[in-house]
Amino acid sequence: MPNIVVGQSVPDFTASATSKTTVSLSTLQGKNLVIYFYPKDNTPGCTTEGQNFRDFYEEFQDANTEIIGVSRDSMRTHENYKAKHSFPFELISDPEEALCKHFDVIKLKKLYGKEYMGIERSTFLIDTKGVLHQEWRKVKVKGHVDEVLAVVKNL
């Protein structure tokens, strides 16, 4: 699939998510969608980011916006993570990296001097017509959700 560009329609996708649901862009038409990619369940930065989206969930809902988190973790890990932190939104398990590649978030990373391919923390805002409105790459967790919410409220 080609990379997605701001201002262009996002090709439809379908993915398995928590709560035994299937998420597809076409079923969310008429709503804005915040889709955030994060490296790993139960790690400090990812947990803080998820909790921030959780804490502002009602404000996103009031702005006609759904939130979906995506990582390569298993569905079982996702279900436990979602329950542990009371996330009101679904998490997509993407172990094959199909959605990650769709949004071009698999990047070369370094940890303790070792290089590996992993998810670069990124967030995408898709508007009610299925057009990519904005993207945030190399996200820093602190203040990020506030920034996304401010953009959503101005749509």
Side-chain angles (χ1 to χ4, degrees):
M1 286 188 210
N3 289 342
I4 299 161
V5 178
V6 172
Q8 292 184 351
S9 291
V10 176
D12 195 19
F13 61 83
T14 302
S16 296
T18 47
S19 306
K20 295 184 170 75
T21 60
T22 300
V23 173
S24 63
L25 187 58
S26 55
T27 60
L28 294 168
Q29 288 276 299
K31 286 186 173 257
N32 300 309
L33 173 64
V34 169
I35 183 166
Y36 77 98
F37 291 82
Y38 63 97
K40 191 152 182 55
D41 291 346
N42 296 303
T43 56
C46 298
T47 299
T48 298
E49 183 179 27
Q51 290 169 337
N52 290 342
F53 276 116
R54 175 200 65 202
D55 294 347
F56 287 100
Y57 185 71
E58 282 190 32
E59 289 185 56
F60 280 100
Q61 291 283 283
D62 290 346
N64 192 34
T65 303
E66 287 298 329
I67 299 168
I68 296 173
V70 182
S71 81
R72 299 183 299 185
D73 292 294
S74 71
M75 197 61 74
R76 192 171 125 252
T77 302
H78 270 354
E79 292 288 4
N80 293 336
Y81 183 55
K82 181 182 175 205
K84 180 178 179 180
H85 298 287
S86 303
F87 293 154
F89 48 84
E90 303 305 333
L91 301 175
I92 291 174
S93 173
D94 192 24
E96 311 296 313
E97 300 177 355
L99 207 52
C100 291
K101 289 175 180 162
H102 192 61
F103 283 88
D104 190 31
V105 298
I106 299 295
K107 304 290 181 185
L108 184 64
K109 298 173 81 175
K110 283 186 181 179
L111 183 65
Y112 304 120
K114 293 193 189 301
E115 291 187 338
Y116 65 99
M117 298 303 286
I119 293 178
E120 176 182 82
R121 190 180 310 279
S122 305
T123 302
F124 300 86
L125 173 57
I126 302 167
D127 70 17
T128 58
K129 296 180 182 78
V131 172
L132 181 60
H133 182 78
Q134 190 161 340
E135 64 181 17
W136 293 264
R137 294 186 179 269
K138 297 183 181 176
V139 166
K140 301 288 182 249
V141 173
K142 187 173 174 59
H144 175 60
V145 172
D146 296 319
E147 185 181 346
V148 175
L149 185 59
V151 173
V152 164
K153 286 181 173 181
N154 285 318
L155 279 179

